[in-house]
Structure formats: C-alpha cells, structure tokens
Amino acid sequence: VFYLGIYGLLMSQCKKESQIIVNFPFMNRLDHKYVDVVGHFINMVPIIIDVDHSMIWSDYINKIKEKVFEVLKYAYYPVKIS
C-alpha cells in the first residue's frame, strides 16, 4: 500500500491529474482444483486513487488501504477477454 501511495502521488504530479487509475494484479488461484493446471490465473483489478495534496501522509495511506480492501472483494469475479 505504501508503494501504491507513492506511485499515485508520482503519477498525479506527472499527469497533473488528481484522480489516478492503477491496475492492481490479484492472484486468482485459490481453489485447490487448479493446483495442477498450467496457466495465468491473475485478474487485474482497477483501483481509483484520489490524490489530495492537502492530506497528511497517514490519512492518504489509510484511504488507499481502504480502497484496496474494498476492491479486493470483487477480485474473484472473472474478467472475460474477447
């Protein structure tokens, strides 16, 4: 979460935007029936980071941590790529 926060600040500075969307990889091989299956079992989960430069660092990191936990609730849904 720490590095995600730094990345969000850096991208916000580079792009001159206050809202950054970062794709976060999530391993989706939690079921034991897939142990012997070869393949790429990763979902990319988008996280929206709202950068507020007036916030103190600990509040900013806690806000990102809450977003990560919120988004990971939906990470088990498969993404269809066509």
Side-chain angles (χ1 to χ4, degrees):
V1 173
F2 176 78
Y3 291 113
L4 187 61
I6 291 175
Y7 185 73
L9 284 174
L10 179 66
M11 292 304 293
S12 172
Q13 289 290 328
C14 290
K15 295 290 188 179
K16 306 286 191 257
E17 297 284 336
S18 63
Q19 192 176 59
I20 304 296
I21 301 174
V22 178
N23 279 329
F24 188 78
F26 177 75
M27 187 180 81
N28 198 11
R29 192 188 288 249
L30 300 177
D31 198 351
H32 291 289
K33 68 182 179 182
Y34 297 118
V35 171
D36 296 327
V37 177
V38 176
H40 195 65
F41 286 79
I42 294 180
N43 278 349
M44 296 301 283
V45 180
I47 296 176
I48 300 172
I49 299 173
D50 295 312
V51 179
D52 183 3
H53 295 285
S54 65
M55 264 184 160
I56 62 172
W57 178 252
S58 60
D59 290 342
Y60 173 69
I61 291 297
N62 284 331
K63 184 176 166 185
I64 291 176
K65 184 170 48 172
E66 290 171 5
K67 286 264 189 170
V68 168
F69 287 131
E70 177 186 338
V71 167
L72 288 181
K73 290 189 287 187
Y74 306 103
Y76 296 104
Y77 295 106
V79 177
K80 183 178 179 182
I81 300 173
S82 53

